[in-house]
Amino acid sequence: MIEFRHVSKSYRTPGRPKVLLHDFSIALPKGATIGVLGRNGAGKSTLLGMVAGTVQPDAGTIHRNAMISWPLGFSGSFHGDLTGAQNVRFVARIYGMDTDALIAYVEDFAELGDFMDMPVRSYSSGMRARLAFGMSMGVAFDCYLVDEVTAVGDTAFKAKCLAVFKHRLKDAGMLMVSHSTGTIRAYCRSGLVLEDGEATYFEDVEDAIAQHERNMALT
């Protein structure tokens, strides 16, 4: 579903380049729920960005034979002068979905009421997050990208977000970045550990967590 072929990525830093990935190749299994682990600065969010296509590798290619989500709950690409409904309609057209059906889903999920017909620039950050999460759940992606789980709103709404997300994962894969090993355990069956420019895949998430904890113990 997602294949890395000899992918390398580094960033310039004072002194010498910071290597995040070096000649990394792997075909990630279809439907796998994979937790991405690594110390701060190891390249976890950069790896998600490369899968999403928003970050380009220095070398190599990433092949995606699947419909990949934007990072779950990401609201940075909304057009502020468009209404919530117009933003949803735009996304529906990009993904070839029934526009009215997606708007109806997001209206019901996000619970924004009349604000769906108001410009997004008038939204609070919480309202934008509700709209973004509703859109993320309204599109049935093959693989979800998650940079920390961001359920929003009050306790009841957070519970609804997490319940719907877990339901989506019954038929989809996921790449999840989280600093919480408890969260990784709750959502992921496999793991990918980043350390010193190398990425190691573990079929069992417990093996991945154990390796990550050994890496962290060396500092």
Side-chain angles (χ1 to χ4, degrees):
M1 183 170 64
I2 301 171
E3 184 178 4
F4 292 75
R5 296 182 183 174
H6 304 289
V7 171
S8 295
K9 182 66 180 179
S10 62
Y11 285 114
R12 292 186 180 276
T13 61
R16 60 188 180 88
K18 168 67 174 177
V19 177
L20 303 180
L21 280 178
H22 176 67
D23 197 28
F24 176 55
S25 296
I26 192 173
L28 299 177
K30 180 179 180 181
T33 51
I34 302 169
V36 183
L37 296 157
R39 65 184 74 240
N40 288 335
K44 302 182 297 295
S45 295
T46 298
L47 184 141
L48 253 60
M50 288 193 289
V51 173
T54 58
V55 177
Q56 296 302 310
D58 297 334
T61 56
I62 300 173
H63 295 260
R64 309 165 187 85
N65 185 24
M67 188 160 72
I68 311 294
S69 81
W70 55 83
L72 186 66
F74 177 68
S75 60
S77 60
F78 287 142
H79 194 301
D81 291 331
L82 298 180
T83 67
Q86 287 171 329
N87 273 281
V88 175
R89 190 178 299 276
F90 178 73
V91 168
R93 288 172 176 164
I94 289 175
Y95 287 97
M97 299 183 63
D98 183 306
T99 55
D100 292 336
L102 185 57
I103 289 172
Y105 178 90
V106 176
E107 281 182 331
D108 178 68
F109 184 94
E111 302 174 8
L112 293 175
D114 292 340
F115 277 95
M116 280 294 292
D117 296 314
M118 295 180 66
V120 169
R121 57 179 161 75
S122 68
Y123 287 18
S124 67
S125 59
M127 292 166 65
R128 290 170 68 98
R130 282 178 176 241
L131 181 66
F133 204 98
M135 286 171 55
S136 297
M137 294 298 96
V139 181
F141 292 107
D142 297 317
C143 182
Y144 288 88
L145 304 180
V146 184
D147 198 342
E148 300 289 349
V149 176
T150 51
V152 296
D154 57 26
T155 301
F157 191 80
K158 286 179 179 178
K160 180 172 77 168
C161 289
L162 295 178
V164 172
F165 181 47
K166 285 190 174 183
H167 178 74
R168 285 293 191 205
L169 290 180
K170 291 180 179 178
D171 300 308
M174 176 182 64
L175 278 171
M176 171 184 280
V177 168
S178 178
H179 288 95
S180 167
T181 54
T183 299
I184 293 292
R185 280 192 175 99
Y187 285 91
C188 304
R189 294 187 296 272
S190 305
L192 189 67
V193 179
L194 305 184
E195 178 76 4
D196 291 334
E198 303 294 331
T200 307
Y201 178 75
F202 295 86
E203 189 69 33
D204 188 329
V205 69
E206 291 299 332
D207 293 336
I209 290 172
Q211 181 61 58
H212 171 62
E213 291 177 343
R214 285 193 292 270
N215 293 342
M216 296 300 292
L218 295 176
T219 57

